[in-house]
Amino acid sequence: MPPLSLLPEDIAALAARVVSENAAAGRTIATAESCTGGLVAGAITEIAGSSAVLDRGFVTYSNEAKMEMLGVPSDIIEAFGAVSIACAWAMAKGALDRSKADVAVAISGVAGPGGGTLHKPVGTVVFARVVRGATGEPEGELRFFDGGEGPGGRAEIRRQATLCALELLLP
């Protein structure tokens, strides 16, 4: 018998909450993903009824894609890097501006096993959320997820980043 979900149980359960709670709130969402490569949008679309909630998802893995698809200014990437709160916020704002969604979340990080630096080691992931019509400071967060250096580390960092992004999409 095939599995009920392609996803781990914790991700599927949280995605189901994202769909049901946003549907109840009449709220639509967009995603802008780099290191998660579409896992957040994929988790949401795994849930029946997700079409009422998910407007669109952007997978912008390269810096060029972030600039072309989301309008991230090149000076942000040059000054702060793609794995920065400034870049994640620009990604989220770009996703919101290029969609009909009420809220957008963005994710960018170093999933490993290579690519880490002293200041941004493997496991460093940044998140941002922008809500249409909201005033005040943009919401952004830098997180560090352990376990990136061992076997399965990349998958574990991407799993934790997906869970964190889904939590940010709860109303």
Side-chain angles (χ1 to χ4, degrees):
M1 182 171 160
L4 296 176
S5 174
L6 294 172
L7 305 169
E9 196 173 310
D10 55 350
I11 291 176
L14 188 52
R17 279 189 60 204
V18 167
V19 170
S20 65
E21 292 181 25
N22 279 286
R27 198 170 88 150
T28 57
I29 59 180
T31 62
E33 302 182 63
S34 187
C35 67
T36 49
L39 287 172
V40 178
I44 292 165
T45 61
E46 188 80 1
I47 308 304
S50 59
S51 59
V53 172
L54 182 65
D55 178 60
R56 66 194 73 192
F58 298 89
V59 177
T60 55
Y61 208 69
S62 70
N63 290 345
E64 292 77 16
K66 290 172 182 67
M67 293 184 286
E68 291 170 16
M69 293 174 66
L70 299 172
V72 175
S74 61
D75 60 344
I76 285 180
I77 292 174
E78 289 165 16
F80 304 106
V83 182
S84 65
I85 291 174
C87 183
W89 184 78
M91 289 169 65
K93 185 176 182 319
L96 199 66
D97 291 346
R98 289 158 175 77
S99 72
K100 305 275 191 265
D102 300 305
V103 62
V105 68
I107 311 101
S108 186
V110 186
T117 65
L118 182 64
H119 297 293
K120 293 177 186 173
V122 169
T124 304
V125 183
V126 290
F127 301 89
R129 176 175 55 194
V130 178
V131 178
R132 193 173 301 282
T135 57
E137 290 295 305
E139 297 177 71
E141 181 179 6
L142 185 146
R143 300 274 302 267
F144 179 78
F145 299 117
D146 284 322
E149 297 299 340
R154 181 177 179 84
E156 178 58 19
I157 288 165
R158 287 166 37 101
R159 183 189 74 78
Q160 290 180 66
T162 298
L163 285 166
C164 187
L166 287 168
E167 287 172 10
L168 288 172
L169 286 168
L170 291 170

